[in-house]
Amino acid sequence: MRKLILSIIMVLAGSATASATELRIGLSQYPTTLHPNMEASTAKSYVMSMTQRPMTVYDHEWQLVCMLCVELPSIEAGTAVPEDLPEGVEGAGDGRGIALTYRIQPQATWGDGTPITTEDVVFTWKVGRHEKSGIGNLELYRRILSIDVIDDKTFVMHADRVSFEYAAINDFKLLPAHIEGPIFDAAPDDYKNRTAFDSDPTNPGLAFGPYRIVEAVPGSRIVLERNESWWGEKPVFDRITLLTIEKTTALEANLLSGNVDMIAGELGLSLDQALAFEKRHGDDYQIIYEPGLLYEHIDLMLENPILQDKRVRQALVYAIDGEAISQRLFEGRQPVAHSGVSPLDWVYAPDIKMYDHDPEKAGELLDAAGWSDIRDGIRHNAAGEALRLEFMTTAGNRIRELVQQVLQSQWRQAGLDIRVRNEPARVFFGETVHHRRFTGLAMFAWGKGPEHVPRSTLHSEEIPNEANGWSGQNYTGFRNTEMDELIEAIGVELDRPTRKEMWARVQQIYAEEVPVVSLYWRANAYVLPKWLRGVRPTGQMATSSLWVENWTVEDR
């Protein structure tokens, strides 16, 4: 019925410029927070990409571009100037910092009409540098030593190093000083629990994208309407409703019933579902498969005594038949991952250690690690303790639960007792993973940008804990001095061949130490109505919704 109504609207409107009424999008997860700088998640990125704009971002061609800024600073143009660091400040690389000049889009305003100014820039930096504010990428804000305000729209950012991506401040996502300022100043240590983004998400002053939130029902739906203060191209749809349907089988049913118009590829059908769906209903929908930098893996809790032994971690990987999973579940469309760097990325190293399916080798490693006493098919150590681990992922995600069952079976053959305990995505990500409450294995995906330096996930300073406000994403607790040094060095190495050698070593350590179990590189399936145009997947961290103003209805 909804499609019929929309079709009638389209026919009556003809080639007129009036907008369509509503687009309903199905998602499998609801954001754990709507604060742009806390608890990174694909669900939040998908929503906030419609309501805000980053200062800089990698586009569909994986090129760095301005969104909220006017022009990228560059050394050639004189808007990026290497400089000596202040006395007492330790630098990196050649020991120099860099002064970066940015200008905010002159017409940019918050949804309540308040101009976006350098006051918001300085406030965002202030919040980001507070250790207990809950901001995710603390390192970004630490590296920004100071900000000089030139005028309401122009500022100079002084960074503590000259990095190869010096102009990229993708994670510097602006906060409205006129709304968040009083909240933060009243109780900085408790800011993460009081932010208006979660307590008052429909406040129009929180948005400066094509849309603003008018309704937010946790775990259920988010409703967006046009932001009338948006300075860019006017979006076609008056309203966009994002419905959270955690069970992907129910997501498909809602599409076929007309309750949703499309399923977002970033958080939608698993690949096996999409392939089967295309065989049955391919003539009625557009189905786009986009390979990219989305990495399905299992974080290992390295504080678990069992997993502290590298031989056990390696045995877990040898016991997996990754090629069989790829071929039988995904028809080969989701290739096996051998590290955290994709073969699509120019820094990928093809000659790192790879773990072919080798159950015999897995058994040898487990024997050597002291798990040689097998009783009823389960390995025990000399103290009589069973080789038992808890395995968690997002409940209701059909393909994850299927992969989980396959892995449980393969590990059972190697003598491991794997106990499954899944949780709804909002609990799994918002509490269990974010606060490092899983005890064994946690399966989920990371979205990456091109040549994404893995500081937040692998550097020892990025382990979340109560003292740092649970900032950072090194949920495994991985600590490796050489990895830390490489991560620091890569960012400031401007020579590409030298940087590629460093990246090869990063991947070698990753493969040898096994802080995570690499599974596969995901290919997202976008299921769209025939009449929708302009949805372009990026294949990397930036979601397709970041260009929602370019979505159109056919013949409009």
Side-chain angles (χ1 to χ4, degrees):
M1 179 60 73
R2 283 186 27 68
K3 291 180 181 178
L4 177 59
I5 293 172
L6 183 55
S7 299
I8 292 172
I9 291 172
M10 291 167 58
V11 170
L12 292 176
S15 60
T17 58
S19 67
T21 53
E22 181 182 17
L23 179 68
R24 293 168 66 86
I25 303 174
L27 302 171
S28 61
Q29 293 176 20
Y30 189 92
T32 56
T33 175
L34 292 173
H35 192 290
N37 295 326
M38 295 180 187
E39 297 182 29
S41 73
T42 304
K44 184 185 70 177
S45 295
Y46 194 87
V47 176
M48 302 308 284
S49 290
M50 297 185 182
T51 64
Q52 294 197 341
R53 285 292 181 266
M55 195 71 72
T56 62
V57 73
Y58 288 102
D59 66 9
H60 300 89
E61 283 71 46
W62 297 8
Q63 298 299 309
L64 188 69
V65 297
C66 264
M67 278 204 140
L68 183 56
C69 56
V70 174
E71 185 179 35
L72 292 173
S74 73
I75 293 174
E76 295 75 14
T79 49
V81 181
E83 61 183 2
D84 292 333
L85 292 171
E87 187 175 349
V89 175
E90 183 179 351
D94 65 0
R96 293 185 300 168
I98 191 167
L100 305 164
T101 300
Y102 294 90
R103 181 165 175 78
I104 300 168
Q105 291 284 352
Q107 294 178 307
T109 61
W110 297 99
D112 59 4
T114 303
I116 295 176
T117 69
T118 46
E119 181 182 359
D120 301 309
V121 173
V122 174
F123 171 69
T124 301
W125 175 63
K126 172 185 172 182
V127 175
R129 286 177 69 85
H130 193 286
E131 291 188 353
K132 292 189 177 181
S133 65
I135 299 304
N137 192 349
L138 271 177
E139 182 61 21
L140 168 66
Y141 297 93
R142 291 195 193 106
R143 291 181 178 179
I144 301 170
L145 301 177
S146 62
I147 295 176
D148 296 337
V149 172
I150 306 303
D151 56 40
D152 282 351
K153 294 289 185 178
T154 310
F155 62 96
V156 179
M157 186 177 282
H158 297 272
D160 71 350
R161 65 198 64 199
V162 182
S163 71
F164 72 88
E165 51 179 2
Y166 60 80
I169 51 173
N170 302 13
D171 282 348
F172 193 90
K173 297 169 184 175
L174 285 196
L175 306 174
H178 66 294
I179 294 175
E180 292 288 271
I183 298 172
F184 177 78
D185 291 339
D189 289 1
D190 198 37
Y191 171 62
K192 60 181 176 293
N193 297 317
R194 302 174 67 247
T195 171
F197 283 97
D198 291 328
S199 65
D200 186 22
T202 61
N203 188 324
L206 301 175
F208 61 93
Y211 290 92
R212 64 182 182 87
I213 296 174
V214 297
E215 183 184 17
V217 181
S220 177
R221 66 183 178 275
I222 294 175
V223 180
L224 310 173
E225 289 185 356
R226 270 208 213 93
N227 177 12
E228 297 303 331
S229 70
W230 165 243
W231 67 90
E233 183 176 347
K234 184 177 181 180
V236 166
F237 296 98
D238 294 328
R239 170 180 288 226
I240 294 180
T241 298
L242 304 168
L243 294 175
T244 301
I245 304 167
E246 293 185 344
K247 291 186 178 296
T248 50
T249 49
L251 196 56
E252 178 180 330
N254 273 263
L255 178 70
L256 293 173
S257 71
N259 191 41
V260 299
D261 298 307
M262 63 173 277
I263 297 177
E266 291 86 351
L267 287 166
L269 299 184
S270 57
L271 186 66
D272 68 318
Q273 282 181 285
L275 292 168
F277 182 88
E278 184 176 26
K279 292 174 182 177
R280 300 191 307 269
H281 307 286
D283 292 340
D284 301 322
Y285 297 90
Q286 303 176 68
I287 302 176
I288 302 171
Y289 297 97
E290 179 66 23
L293 306 182
L294 195 61
Y295 170 57
E296 193 76 20
H297 70 286
I298 301 171
D299 267 14
L300 304 178
M301 176 51 70
L302 300 183
E303 292 168 9
N304 184 319
I306 295 174
L307 295 171
Q308 287 176 352
D309 191 326
K310 182 172 68 175
R311 293 169 296 186
V312 174
R313 302 197 300 270
Q314 291 180 341
L316 286 173
V317 189
Y318 275 122
I320 293 174
D321 191 347
E323 285 296 339
I325 291 173
S326 177
Q327 293 298 326
R328 294 173 187 172
L329 298 185
F330 310 127
E331 299 182 9
R333 288 180 183 256
Q334 297 194 139
V336 175
H338 298 287
S339 79
V341 177
S342 166
L344 299 176
D345 205 321
W346 77 275
V347 296
Y348 174 71
D351 55 351
I352 62 170
K353 180 175 183 174
M354 296 188 184
Y355 294 79
D356 294 328
H357 181 48
D358 191 340
E360 184 176 344
K361 179 67 173 177
E364 292 173 357
L365 286 167
L366 293 174
D367 285 343
W371 300 97
S372 57
D373 182 10
I374 301 177
R375 308 175 197 170
D376 298 325
I378 300 299
R379 291 177 176 270
H380 293 70
N381 61 15
E385 298 167 327
L387 182 50
R388 180 176 297 122
L389 293 167
E390 186 175 75
F391 188 6
M392 302 182 70
T393 191
T394 50
N397 185 306
R398 181 179 176 275
I399 194 59
R400 277 197 178 133
E401 292 181 331
L402 181 57
V403 170
Q404 187 181 48
Q405 292 170 16
V406 173
L407 294 175
Q408 183 184 34
S409 174
Q410 292 179 348
W411 283 328
R412 180 66 172 77
Q413 294 174 32
L416 287 91
D417 182 11
I418 301 296
R419 302 294 177 90
V420 169
R421 185 173 71 85
N422 296 336
E423 294 177 332
R426 62 186 178 276
V427 178
F428 179 70
F429 290 117
E431 297 294 333
T432 302
V433 173
H434 183 63
H435 292 103
R436 304 185 66 229
R437 291 175 181 165
F438 63 99
T439 62
L441 296 75
M443 179 167 60
F444 57 99
W446 279 127
K448 298 172 177 285
E451 196 177 353
H452 180 72
V453 180
R455 181 184 176 90
S456 67
T457 56
L458 291 178
H459 199 288
S460 62
E461 292 181 358
E462 299 293 329
I463 300 172
N465 57 70
E466 188 173 2
N468 66 16
W470 303 104
S471 177
Q473 297 166 323
N474 184 350
Y475 302 128
T476 66
F478 182 61
R479 298 176 186 272
N480 183 284
T481 301
E482 186 182 2
M483 180 68 84
D484 286 353
E485 292 172 350
L486 283 165
I487 288 172
E488 297 286 356
I490 284 175
V492 295
E493 179 55 64
L494 304 184
D495 182 70
R496 281 171 65 92
T498 302
R499 206 159 71 241
K500 189 164 187 177
E501 291 178 6
M502 293 177 174
W503 270 108
R505 182 57 186 151
V506 165
Q507 293 166 76
Q508 289 166 1
I509 296 172
Y510 195 83
E512 175 66 25
E513 295 299 322
V514 197
V516 310
V517 175
S518 302
L519 293 177
Y520 50 85
W521 292 98
R522 277 174 40 180
N524 287 336
Y526 295 73
V527 185
L528 313 174
K530 291 281 191 180
W531 42 261
L532 185 62
R533 296 288 181 268
V535 178
R536 293 182 62 198
T538 68
Q540 36 98 353
M541 287 178 73
T543 63
S544 58
S545 55
L546 192 54
W547 291 269
V548 66
E549 66 271 28
N550 297 330
W551 297 3
T552 62
V553 175
E554 189 176 31
D555 299 327
R556 297 284 299 280

